[in-house]
Amino acid sequence: MVDPLAEVVSLLRPAAPFSKLVHASAPWAVRRSETGRPFYFVVLQGSCHLTIDGPSRSDTITLQQGDFALIPAARSFATSSLDRDPPREGEAVATPIVPMPGGARVGDPAGEVDVRMLVGNCVFESPDAALLVPLLPQWLHVRGERRLATLVELVGDESRSDRPAREIVMARLLEVLLIEALRSSARTMAAPGLVRGLADPQLALALRRVHAHPGEPWTMGRLAQEAAMSRSAFFGRFHRAVGIAPMEYLLAWRMALARQMLRRGEHSIAAIAEQVGYSSVSTFGVAFTRHVGMPPGRYAKEQAAGSAA
């Protein structure tokens, strides 16, 4: 059976090369802005609040020991001790932050450490990351997963050690942790995105069909039939769960596949157009140019030139 999330994660090629330890003493609060890079949190000890700012609203979650949280395209977020709310956007933050080996000390440097976290930027090495990240949830929060808890323990143990090749082992453990969190679809607390869509048994039927047969002439009616729902009910439920309209999701997945095939250079543009559901090269070219920003032929030449260089 086709696993849509595995396909998306495989194309994204996640890695976690950048991490730092954060030791915090209550009361404390931190707000930071990012440029859309993926950002993650691994809670090794204690609990804290995390607020993720979205386009229309902010979500606040409480992170506990053993939890993992991921923001696939972080813009702005805030963390704080449990005795206060995370600072809002534009709110002044006066918490002292002092550098320490491997990370930062937050709050009173002489206070008792009540939270230890591993935080950092991960990367999606795929050239199609900008197309694929919108298919993921705005945020992902995993708790109570035995395998994940074991990985968090290993990460925590490695972070406290001074063993040879420590940085390499940490990077690999974080990559596995990231992939394990992304594939915990049905049991994961997540904002709208592919993870939530796959947790819905009826929507999952349609999503798996799209991934198994992207070249089929899918329409809203056919996708609704796959989910055994009416068109209006399917559209509303899909949009609420996945965060985008069904046909928008279909287009994003087709374009990601098309870009992958164009980079490989193993098929003609006509063959690629057919494989991703277009009846002619011209209609494929128009859709590709609108979505990617350049015609497929030019994209293929630029990718070939880049590989040769």
Side-chain angles (χ1 to χ4, degrees), residues 131-144:
L131 289 176
L132 293 165
V133 166
L135 306 184
L136 297 175
Q138 180 192 341
W139 52 264
L140 194 74
H141 175 206
V142 184
R143 172 181 296 160

Side-chain angles (χ1 to χ4, degrees), residues 210-231:
V210 163
H211 280 256
H213 305 284
E216 286 286 308
W218 294 112
T219 63
M220 180 69 70
R222 282 196 62 192
L223 290 173
Q225 284 180 348
E226 292 292 337
M229 300 169 69
S230 69
R231 285 167 54 97

Side-chain angles (χ1 to χ4, degrees), residues 287-308:
F288 189 92
T289 303
R290 185 182 298 123
H291 201 77
V292 178
M294 67 178 72
R298 180 178 154 198
Y299 178 84
K301 286 178 183 177
E302 288 192 2
Q303 294 299 308
S307 298

Side-chain angles (χ1 to χ4, degrees), residues 264-279:
R264 289 176 176 170
E266 298 172 354
H267 303 284
S268 67
I269 292 177
I272 292 171
E274 183 179 357
Q275 288 184 54
V276 296
Y278 289 88
S279 57

Side-chain angles (χ1 to χ4, degrees), residues 44 152-163 170:
L44 306 174
V152 169
E153 286 180 16
L154 288 171
V155 168
D157 178 65
E158 197 64 31
S159 71
R160 293 185 293 269
S161 77
D162 192 23
R163 302 184 187 102
M170 283 279 288

Side-chain angles (χ1 to χ4, degrees), residues 69-91:
L70 169 71
I71 311 174
R75 295 294 175 185
S76 63
F77 57 87
T79 50
S80 74
S81 50
L82 296 181
D83 56 0
R84 59 154 295 166
D85 293 330
R88 297 184 179 90
E89 201 163 1
E91 182 181 338

